[in-house]
Short mmCIF file of all heavy atoms in Angstrom, two decimals:
data_model
loop_
_atom_site.label_atom_id
_atom_site.label_comp_id
_atom_site.label_asym_id
_atom_site.label_seq_id
_atom_site.Cartn_x
_atom_site.Cartn_y
_atom_site.Cartn_z
N GLU B 1154 32.25 6.96 6.73
CA GLU B 1154 32.08 6.21 7.96
C GLU B 1154 32.37 4.72 7.75
O GLU B 1154 33.08 4.09 8.53
CB GLU B 1154 30.65 6.39 8.48
CG GLU B 1154 30.45 5.84 9.87
CD GLU B 1154 29.03 6.06 10.37
OE1 GLU B 1154 28.25 6.79 9.73
OE2 GLU B 1154 28.69 5.47 11.41
N LEU B 1155 31.81 4.16 6.70
CA LEU B 1155 32.02 2.74 6.41
C LEU B 1155 33.51 2.44 6.24
O LEU B 1155 34.02 1.47 6.82
CB LEU B 1155 31.27 2.37 5.13
CG LEU B 1155 31.48 0.94 4.61
CD1 LEU B 1155 30.87 -0.07 5.59
CD2 LEU B 1155 30.86 0.76 3.23
N LEU B 1156 34.19 3.25 5.47
CA LEU B 1156 35.61 2.99 5.21
C LEU B 1156 36.46 3.17 6.46
O LEU B 1156 37.39 2.39 6.72
CB LEU B 1156 36.11 3.91 4.08
CG LEU B 1156 35.50 3.64 2.71
CD1 LEU B 1156 36.05 4.63 1.68
CD2 LEU B 1156 35.77 2.22 2.26
N LEU B 1157 36.13 4.19 7.23
CA LEU B 1157 36.89 4.40 8.47
C LEU B 1157 36.77 3.20 9.40
O LEU B 1157 37.76 2.69 9.93
CB LEU B 1157 36.39 5.66 9.19
CG LEU B 1157 36.84 7.00 8.60
CD1 LEU B 1157 36.19 8.14 9.35
CD2 LEU B 1157 38.36 7.12 8.66
N LEU B 1158 35.53 2.77 9.59
CA LEU B 1158 35.31 1.65 10.50
C LEU B 1158 35.99 0.38 9.98
O LEU B 1158 36.56 -0.40 10.74
CB LEU B 1158 33.81 1.42 10.70
CG LEU B 1158 33.08 2.51 11.47
CD1 LEU B 1158 31.59 2.22 11.52
CD2 LEU B 1158 33.61 2.63 12.89
N ARG B 1159 35.93 0.20 8.70
CA ARG B 1159 36.51 -0.99 8.10
C ARG B 1159 38.03 -1.04 8.33
O ARG B 1159 38.60 -2.07 8.70
CB ARG B 1159 36.21 -1.00 6.60
CG ARG B 1159 36.82 -2.17 5.84
CD ARG B 1159 36.28 -3.49 6.35
NE ARG B 1159 36.71 -4.60 5.51
CZ ARG B 1159 36.97 -5.82 5.95
NH1 ARG B 1159 36.84 -6.10 7.23
NH2 ARG B 1159 37.33 -6.79 5.15
N LEU B 1160 38.68 0.10 8.09
CA LEU B 1160 40.13 0.16 8.27
C LEU B 1160 40.51 -0.02 9.74
O LEU B 1160 41.46 -0.74 10.07
CB LEU B 1160 40.68 1.49 7.75
CG LEU B 1160 40.79 1.61 6.23
CD1 LEU B 1160 41.17 3.03 5.85
CD2 LEU B 1160 41.83 0.62 5.71
N LEU B 1161 39.75 0.64 10.60
CA LEU B 1161 40.08 0.56 12.02
C LEU B 1161 39.72 -0.79 12.63
O LEU B 1161 40.15 -1.12 13.73
CB LEU B 1161 39.37 1.69 12.78
CG LEU B 1161 39.87 3.09 12.42
CD1 LEU B 1161 39.04 4.16 13.11
CD2 LEU B 1161 41.35 3.23 12.82
N GLU B 1162 38.94 -1.55 11.90
CA GLU B 1162 38.63 -2.90 12.36
C GLU B 1162 39.90 -3.74 12.30
O GLU B 1162 40.10 -4.67 13.08
CB GLU B 1162 37.55 -3.51 11.46
CG GLU B 1162 37.17 -4.93 11.83
CD GLU B 1162 36.31 -5.57 10.75
OE1 GLU B 1162 36.52 -5.28 9.56
OE2 GLU B 1162 35.42 -6.37 11.11
N GLN B 1163 40.75 -3.41 11.35
CA GLN B 1163 41.99 -4.16 11.15
C GLN B 1163 43.05 -3.81 12.17
O GLN B 1163 43.72 -4.68 12.74
CB GLN B 1163 42.55 -3.87 9.76
CG GLN B 1163 41.58 -4.18 8.62
CD GLN B 1163 41.22 -5.63 8.58
OE1 GLN B 1163 42.07 -6.50 8.77
NE2 GLN B 1163 39.95 -5.93 8.38
N LYS B 1164 43.22 -2.52 12.39
CA LYS B 1164 44.24 -2.09 13.35
C LYS B 1164 44.04 -0.62 13.71
O LYS B 1164 43.39 0.12 12.99
CB LYS B 1164 45.63 -2.28 12.76
CG LYS B 1164 45.89 -1.39 11.57
CD LYS B 1164 47.38 -1.35 11.19
CE LYS B 1164 47.60 -0.34 10.07
NZ LYS B 1164 49.02 -0.15 9.75
N GLU B 1165 44.66 -0.22 14.81
CA GLU B 1165 44.63 1.17 15.22
C GLU B 1165 45.34 2.03 14.19
O GLU B 1165 46.37 1.63 13.65
CB GLU B 1165 45.35 1.31 16.55
CG GLU B 1165 44.49 1.27 17.78
CD GLU B 1165 45.26 1.75 18.98
OE1 GLU B 1165 46.49 1.63 19.00
OE2 GLU B 1165 44.62 2.27 19.91
N MET B 1166 44.78 3.21 13.92
CA MET B 1166 45.42 4.13 12.98
C MET B 1166 45.14 5.55 13.40
O MET B 1166 44.20 5.82 14.14
CB MET B 1166 44.87 3.90 11.56
CG MET B 1166 45.21 2.55 10.96
SD MET B 1166 44.29 2.25 9.44
CE MET B 1166 45.39 3.01 8.24
N TYR B 1167 45.94 6.50 12.88
CA TYR B 1167 45.71 7.91 13.19
C TYR B 1167 45.15 8.61 11.97
O TYR B 1167 45.25 8.13 10.85
CB TYR B 1167 46.99 8.57 13.71
CG TYR B 1167 48.17 8.52 12.77
CD1 TYR B 1167 48.45 9.57 11.91
CD2 TYR B 1167 49.03 7.41 12.75
CE1 TYR B 1167 49.53 9.53 11.06
CE2 TYR B 1167 50.11 7.35 11.89
CZ TYR B 1167 50.37 8.42 11.05
OH TYR B 1167 51.44 8.38 10.20
N GLY B 1168 44.56 9.78 12.21
CA GLY B 1168 43.85 10.51 11.17
C GLY B 1168 44.54 10.65 9.83
O GLY B 1168 44.02 10.25 8.79
N TYR B 1169 45.70 11.22 9.86
CA TYR B 1169 46.43 11.46 8.61
C TYR B 1169 46.69 10.16 7.87
O TYR B 1169 46.62 10.10 6.65
CB TYR B 1169 47.75 12.15 8.96
CG TYR B 1169 48.41 12.86 7.81
CD1 TYR B 1169 47.82 13.97 7.22
CD2 TYR B 1169 49.63 12.41 7.31
CE1 TYR B 1169 48.45 14.64 6.17
CE2 TYR B 1169 50.26 13.06 6.27
CZ TYR B 1169 49.67 14.17 5.70
OH TYR B 1169 50.29 14.80 4.66
N GLU B 1170 47.00 9.13 8.64
CA GLU B 1170 47.25 7.82 8.06
C GLU B 1170 45.98 7.28 7.41
O GLU B 1170 46.02 6.66 6.33
CB GLU B 1170 47.72 6.88 9.18
CG GLU B 1170 48.09 5.48 8.72
CD GLU B 1170 48.43 4.56 9.90
OE1 GLU B 1170 48.22 4.96 11.06
OE2 GLU B 1170 48.88 3.43 9.63
N LEU B 1171 44.85 7.52 8.03
CA LEU B 1171 43.58 7.06 7.49
C LEU B 1171 43.29 7.73 6.15
O LEU B 1171 42.81 7.09 5.21
CB LEU B 1171 42.43 7.34 8.48
CG LEU B 1171 42.37 6.38 9.67
CD1 LEU B 1171 41.55 6.99 10.80
CD2 LEU B 1171 41.77 5.04 9.24
N VAL B 1172 43.55 9.01 6.08
CA VAL B 1172 43.33 9.75 4.83
C VAL B 1172 44.06 9.08 3.68
O VAL B 1172 43.51 8.83 2.61
CB VAL B 1172 43.79 11.21 4.96
CG1 VAL B 1172 43.75 11.89 3.61
CG2 VAL B 1172 42.89 11.95 5.94
N ARG B 1173 45.33 8.76 3.93
CA ARG B 1173 46.11 8.14 2.86
C ARG B 1173 45.67 6.70 2.59
O ARG B 1173 45.64 6.24 1.45
CB ARG B 1173 47.59 8.17 3.24
CG ARG B 1173 48.21 9.55 3.07
CD ARG B 1173 49.59 9.55 3.64
NE ARG B 1173 49.57 9.18 5.06
CZ ARG B 1173 50.64 8.83 5.75
NH1 ARG B 1173 51.82 8.78 5.17
NH2 ARG B 1173 50.54 8.52 7.03
N SER B 1174 45.33 5.98 3.64
CA SER B 1174 44.95 4.57 3.47
C SER B 1174 43.65 4.39 2.70
O SER B 1174 43.50 3.47 1.91
CB SER B 1174 44.84 3.89 4.83
OG SER B 1174 46.09 3.87 5.47
N ILE B 1175 42.73 5.30 2.93
CA ILE B 1175 41.46 5.19 2.21
C ILE B 1175 41.69 5.30 0.73
O ILE B 1175 41.11 4.55 -0.07
CB ILE B 1175 40.46 6.27 2.70
CG1 ILE B 1175 39.88 5.85 4.06
CG2 ILE B 1175 39.35 6.48 1.69
CD1 ILE B 1175 38.99 6.90 4.69
N ARG B 1176 42.54 6.22 0.37
CA ARG B 1176 42.85 6.37 -1.06
C ARG B 1176 43.48 5.09 -1.60
O ARG B 1176 43.20 4.65 -2.70
CB ARG B 1176 43.78 7.55 -1.27
CG ARG B 1176 44.24 7.70 -2.70
CD ARG B 1176 45.09 8.94 -2.87
NE ARG B 1176 44.31 10.15 -2.71
CZ ARG B 1176 44.81 11.39 -2.87
NH1 ARG B 1176 46.09 11.53 -3.15
NH2 ARG B 1176 44.04 12.44 -2.74
N LYS B 1177 44.33 4.49 -0.76
CA LYS B 1177 45.05 3.30 -1.21
C LYS B 1177 44.17 2.06 -1.32
O LYS B 1177 44.19 1.37 -2.34
CB LYS B 1177 46.19 3.06 -0.21
CG LYS B 1177 47.16 1.99 -0.64
CD LYS B 1177 48.35 1.91 0.32
CE LYS B 1177 48.76 0.48 0.54
NZ LYS B 1177 49.59 0.33 1.75
N VAL B 1178 43.40 1.78 -0.27
CA VAL B 1178 42.59 0.55 -0.30
C VAL B 1178 41.43 0.61 -1.28
O VAL B 1178 40.85 -0.41 -1.62
CB VAL B 1178 42.04 0.19 1.10
CG1 VAL B 1178 43.18 -0.05 2.05
CG2 VAL B 1178 41.10 1.25 1.61
N THR B 1179 41.11 1.81 -1.72
CA THR B 1179 40.04 1.90 -2.72
C THR B 1179 40.62 2.02 -4.12
O THR B 1179 39.90 2.32 -5.07
CB THR B 1179 39.13 3.12 -2.47
OG1 THR B 1179 39.90 4.32 -2.54
CG2 THR B 1179 38.45 3.03 -1.12
N GLY B 1180 41.92 1.77 -4.23
CA GLY B 1180 42.52 1.84 -5.55
C GLY B 1180 42.41 3.22 -6.18
O GLY B 1180 42.16 3.33 -7.37
N GLU B 1181 42.54 4.25 -5.39
CA GLU B 1181 42.47 5.63 -5.87
C GLU B 1181 41.07 6.02 -6.33
O GLU B 1181 40.87 7.10 -6.88
CB GLU B 1181 43.44 5.87 -7.03
CG GLU B 1181 44.89 5.49 -6.73
CD GLU B 1181 45.56 6.43 -5.75
OE1 GLU B 1181 45.08 7.56 -5.60
OE2 GLU B 1181 46.57 6.04 -5.13
N ALA B 1182 40.10 5.18 -6.11
CA ALA B 1182 38.75 5.48 -6.56
C ALA B 1182 38.08 6.50 -5.65
O ALA B 1182 37.24 7.29 -6.08
CB ALA B 1182 37.90 4.21 -6.61
N ILE B 1183 38.45 6.47 -4.38
CA ILE B 1183 37.82 7.36 -3.41
C ILE B 1183 38.88 8.11 -2.62
O ILE B 1183 39.80 7.50 -2.07
CB ILE B 1183 36.92 6.56 -2.44
CG1 ILE B 1183 35.77 5.93 -3.20
CG2 ILE B 1183 36.39 7.47 -1.34
CD1 ILE B 1183 34.96 4.94 -2.39
N SER B 1184 38.71 9.40 -2.60
CA SER B 1184 39.66 10.24 -1.87
C SER B 1184 38.88 11.17 -0.95
O SER B 1184 37.98 11.88 -1.41
CB SER B 1184 40.49 11.04 -2.87
OG SER B 1184 41.23 12.01 -2.20
N LEU B 1185 39.21 11.12 0.30
CA LEU B 1185 38.50 11.96 1.26
C LEU B 1185 39.44 12.99 1.88
O LEU B 1185 40.57 12.68 2.24
CB LEU B 1185 37.91 11.10 2.38
CG LEU B 1185 36.92 10.03 1.95
CD1 LEU B 1185 36.57 9.15 3.13
CD2 LEU B 1185 35.68 10.66 1.36
N GLY B 1186 38.95 14.18 2.01
CA GLY B 1186 39.75 15.23 2.61
C GLY B 1186 39.70 15.16 4.12
O GLY B 1186 38.83 14.50 4.71
N GLU B 1187 40.62 15.87 4.73
CA GLU B 1187 40.66 15.86 6.19
C GLU B 1187 39.43 16.50 6.80
O GLU B 1187 39.01 16.16 7.92
CB GLU B 1187 41.93 16.58 6.66
CG GLU B 1187 43.18 15.85 6.27
CD GLU B 1187 44.35 16.79 6.08
OE1 GLU B 1187 44.45 17.78 6.83
OE2 GLU B 1187 45.17 16.55 5.17
N GLY B 1188 38.84 17.43 6.04
CA GLY B 1188 37.63 18.09 6.52
C GLY B 1188 36.49 17.11 6.75
O GLY B 1188 35.54 17.41 7.47
N VAL B 1189 36.57 15.95 6.10
CA VAL B 1189 35.57 14.91 6.30
C VAL B 1189 36.01 13.96 7.39
O VAL B 1189 35.23 13.59 8.28
CB VAL B 1189 35.37 14.08 5.00
CG1 VAL B 1189 34.43 12.93 5.25
CG2 VAL B 1189 34.87 14.97 3.89
N ILE B 1190 37.26 13.55 7.30
CA ILE B 1190 37.76 12.52 8.21
C ILE B 1190 37.71 12.90 9.68
O ILE B 1190 37.20 12.16 10.52
CB ILE B 1190 39.21 12.15 7.84
CG1 ILE B 1190 39.27 11.61 6.42
CG2 ILE B 1190 39.78 11.15 8.84
CD1 ILE B 1190 38.60 10.29 6.22
N TYR B 1191 38.25 14.05 10.00
CA TYR B 1191 38.35 14.42 11.42
C TYR B 1191 36.99 14.60 12.09
O TYR B 1191 36.76 14.08 13.18
CB TYR B 1191 39.25 15.64 11.60
CG TYR B 1191 40.70 15.29 11.40
CD1 TYR B 1191 41.38 15.65 10.23
CD2 TYR B 1191 41.40 14.55 12.36
CE1 TYR B 1191 42.69 15.30 10.04
CE2 TYR B 1191 42.72 14.19 12.16
CZ TYR B 1191 43.36 14.57 11.00
OH TYR B 1191 44.67 14.20 10.81
N PRO B 1192 36.07 15.36 11.46
CA PRO B 1192 34.75 15.43 12.10
C PRO B 1192 34.09 14.06 12.23
O PRO B 1192 33.39 13.78 13.21
CB PRO B 1192 33.96 16.33 11.14
CG PRO B 1192 35.00 17.19 10.51
CD PRO B 1192 36.18 16.26 10.32
N ALA B 1193 34.34 13.20 11.23
CA ALA B 1193 33.74 11.87 11.30
C ALA B 1193 34.34 11.08 12.46
O ALA B 1193 33.62 10.41 13.21
CB ALA B 1193 33.97 11.12 9.99
N LEU B 1194 35.64 11.16 12.62
CA LEU B 1194 36.30 10.46 13.71
C LEU B 1194 35.78 10.99 15.06
O LEU B 1194 35.48 10.21 15.97
CB LEU B 1194 37.82 10.66 13.64
CG LEU B 1194 38.54 9.91 12.51
CD1 LEU B 1194 40.00 10.36 12.43
CD2 LEU B 1194 38.48 8.40 12.75
N HIS B 1195 35.68 12.27 15.15
CA HIS B 1195 35.18 12.86 16.41
C HIS B 1195 33.75 12.42 16.69
O HIS B 1195 33.40 12.09 17.81
CB HIS B 1195 35.23 14.39 16.33
CG HIS B 1195 36.61 14.92 16.12
ND1 HIS B 1195 36.86 16.17 15.59
CD2 HIS B 1195 37.81 14.37 16.35
CE1 HIS B 1195 38.16 16.36 15.51
NE2 HIS B 1195 38.77 15.28 15.98
N GLY B 1196 32.95 12.41 15.67
CA GLY B 1196 31.57 12.00 15.84
C GLY B 1196 31.45 10.55 16.26
O GLY B 1196 30.66 10.20 17.15
N LEU B 1197 32.23 9.70 15.63
CA LEU B 1197 32.20 8.29 15.97
C LEU B 1197 32.67 8.05 17.40
O LEU B 1197 32.14 7.18 18.10
CB LEU B 1197 33.07 7.48 14.99
CG LEU B 1197 32.46 7.27 13.59
CD1 LEU B 1197 33.52 6.74 12.63
CD2 LEU B 1197 31.29 6.32 13.68
N GLU B 1198 33.65 8.84 17.81
CA GLU B 1198 34.13 8.69 19.19
C GLU B 1198 33.05 9.14 20.16
O GLU B 1198 32.82 8.52 21.21
CB GLU B 1198 35.41 9.48 19.39
CG GLU B 1198 36.06 9.19 20.75
CD GLU B 1198 37.40 9.88 20.92
OE1 GLU B 1198 37.67 10.85 20.19
OE2 GLU B 1198 38.17 9.44 21.78
N ARG B 1199 32.39 10.21 19.81
CA ARG B 1199 31.33 10.73 20.66
C ARG B 1199 30.19 9.71 20.79
O ARG B 1199 29.57 9.58 21.83
CB ARG B 1199 30.79 12.02 20.07
CG ARG B 1199 30.04 12.88 21.03
CD ARG B 1199 29.90 14.31 20.53
NE ARG B 1199 29.39 14.34 19.16
CZ ARG B 1199 30.06 14.89 18.14
NH1 ARG B 1199 31.24 15.45 18.34
NH2 ARG B 1199 29.54 14.89 16.93
N ASN B 1200 29.96 8.99 19.72
CA ASN B 1200 28.91 7.97 19.72
C ASN B 1200 29.33 6.70 20.42
O ASN B 1200 28.53 5.79 20.59
CB ASN B 1200 28.50 7.62 18.28
CG ASN B 1200 27.78 8.77 17.62
OD1 ASN B 1200 27.33 9.68 18.29
ND2 ASN B 1200 27.69 8.73 16.30
N GLY B 1201 30.61 6.61 20.74
CA GLY B 1201 31.06 5.40 21.42
C GLY B 1201 31.55 4.30 20.50
O GLY B 1201 31.88 3.22 20.96
N ALA B 1202 31.61 4.58 19.21
CA ALA B 1202 32.07 3.57 18.27
C ALA B 1202 33.60 3.48 18.23
O ALA B 1202 34.16 2.45 17.84
CB ALA B 1202 31.55 3.88 16.87
N LEU B 1203 34.26 4.56 18.58
CA LEU B 1203 35.72 4.58 18.58
C LEU B 1203 36.26 5.03 19.93
O LEU B 1203 35.59 5.74 20.68
CB LEU B 1203 36.25 5.55 17.51
CG LEU B 1203 35.93 5.31 16.05
CD1 LEU B 1203 36.62 6.38 15.22
CD2 LEU B 1203 36.40 3.93 15.63
N LYS B 1204 37.49 4.59 20.21
CA LYS B 1204 38.21 5.10 21.37
C LYS B 1204 39.54 5.62 20.85
O LYS B 1204 40.04 5.15 19.82
CB LYS B 1204 38.42 3.99 22.40
CG LYS B 1204 39.25 2.82 21.89
CD LYS B 1204 39.36 1.74 22.95
CE LYS B 1204 40.27 0.60 22.54
NZ LYS B 1204 40.00 -0.02 21.26
N SER B 1205 40.09 6.60 21.54
CA SER B 1205 41.35 7.17 21.06
C SER B 1205 42.38 7.32 22.16
O SER B 1205 42.06 7.33 23.34
CB SER B 1205 41.08 8.54 20.42
OG SER B 1205 40.71 9.46 21.42
N ARG B 1206 43.64 7.45 21.72
CA ARG B 1206 44.72 7.72 22.65
C ARG B 1206 45.78 8.52 21.90
O ARG B 1206 45.98 8.32 20.71
CB ARG B 1206 45.32 6.41 23.18
CG ARG B 1206 45.98 5.56 22.11
CD ARG B 1206 46.36 4.19 22.62
NE ARG B 1206 46.91 3.36 21.57
CZ ARG B 1206 48.22 3.15 21.38
NH1 ARG B 1206 49.11 3.71 22.19
NH2 ARG B 1206 48.64 2.38 20.41
N ARG B 1207 46.41 9.41 22.64
CA ARG B 1207 47.43 10.24 22.01
C ARG B 1207 48.80 9.59 22.16
O ARG B 1207 49.09 8.96 23.15
CB ARG B 1207 47.45 11.63 22.66
CG ARG B 1207 46.26 12.44 22.22
CD ARG B 1207 46.13 13.73 22.99
NE ARG B 1207 44.99 14.47 22.46
CZ ARG B 1207 45.07 15.30 21.43
NH1 ARG B 1207 46.22 15.51 20.86
NH2 ARG B 1207 43.99 15.91 20.98
N LYS B 1208 49.59 9.79 21.15
CA LYS B 1208 50.92 9.21 21.18
C LYS B 1208 51.90 10.18 20.56
O LYS B 1208 51.67 10.71 19.47
CB LYS B 1208 50.91 7.90 20.39
CG LYS B 1208 52.15 7.06 20.53
CD LYS B 1208 51.92 5.71 19.87
CE LYS B 1208 53.15 4.83 19.95
NZ LYS B 1208 52.96 3.56 19.25
N ALA B 1209 52.99 10.45 21.25
CA ALA B 1209 53.99 11.38 20.73
C ALA B 1209 54.99 10.62 19.86
O ALA B 1209 55.59 9.64 20.30
CB ALA B 1209 54.69 12.07 21.89
N VAL B 1210 55.14 11.10 18.65
CA VAL B 1210 56.08 10.45 17.74
C VAL B 1210 56.92 11.52 17.05
O VAL B 1210 56.41 12.33 16.29
CB VAL B 1210 55.33 9.63 16.66
CG1 VAL B 1210 56.33 8.95 15.73
CG2 VAL B 1210 54.44 8.61 17.32
N ALA B 1211 58.22 11.51 17.33
CA ALA B 1211 59.14 12.45 16.67
C ALA B 1211 58.68 13.90 16.77
O ALA B 1211 58.61 14.61 15.77
CB ALA B 1211 59.31 12.06 15.21
N GLY B 1212 58.31 14.28 17.97
CA GLY B 1212 57.97 15.68 18.18
C GLY B 1212 56.56 16.08 17.80
O GLY B 1212 56.15 17.21 17.98
N ARG B 1213 55.79 15.13 17.27
CA ARG B 1213 54.40 15.43 16.93
C ARG B 1213 53.45 14.54 17.74
O ARG B 1213 53.84 13.49 18.23
CB ARG B 1213 54.12 15.14 15.45
CG ARG B 1213 55.08 15.76 14.49
CD ARG B 1213 54.82 15.16 13.11
NE ARG B 1213 55.94 15.32 12.22
CZ ARG B 1213 56.16 16.41 11.48
NH1 ARG B 1213 55.34 17.39 11.54
NH2 ARG B 1213 57.20 16.49 10.69
N THR B 1214 52.24 14.99 17.81
CA THR B 1214 51.24 14.21 18.51
C THR B 1214 50.35 13.51 17.50
O THR B 1214 49.80 14.14 16.60
CB THR B 1214 50.37 15.11 19.39
OG1 THR B 1214 51.20 15.79 20.32
CG2 THR B 1214 49.32 14.29 20.12
N ARG B 1215 50.23 12.22 17.64
CA ARG B 1215 49.30 11.47 16.81
C ARG B 1215 48.15 10.98 17.69
O ARG B 1215 48.37 10.57 18.82
CB ARG B 1215 49.99 10.24 16.20
CG ARG B 1215 50.92 10.59 15.05
CD ARG B 1215 51.60 9.34 14.55
NE ARG B 1215 52.46 9.63 13.42
CZ ARG B 1215 53.36 8.77 12.93
NH1 ARG B 1215 53.49 7.57 13.48
NH2 ARG B 1215 54.11 9.09 11.89
#
Side-chain angles (χ1 to χ4, degrees):
Chain B
E1154 189 179 351
L1155 175 67
L1156 294 179
L1157 283 176
L1158 292 176
R1159 178 62 172 147
L1160 283 173
L1161 294 175
E1162 179 191 34
Q1163 303 298 319
K1164 66 166 185 174
E1165 265 194 333
M1166 294 170 87
Y1167 58 95
Y1169 199 66
E1170 183 185 9
L1171 283 161
V1172 171
R1173 285 172 301 165
S1174 296
I1175 283 174
R1176 175 176 291 183
K1177 189 173 142 198
V1178 298
T1179 60
E1181 306 290 339
I1183 296 171
S1184 170
L1185 300 173
E1187 294 151 36
V1189 174
I1190 299 292
Y1191 286 105
L1194 288 171
H1195 300 158
L1197 285 168
E1198 188 175 20
R1199 199 162 51 239
N1200 291 344
L1203 299 182
K1204 61 183 185 307
S1205 69
R1206 64 189 176 100
R1207 286 172 178 273
K1208 190 172 179 184
V1210 181
R1213 308 169 200 275
T1214 301
R1215 285 177 178 167

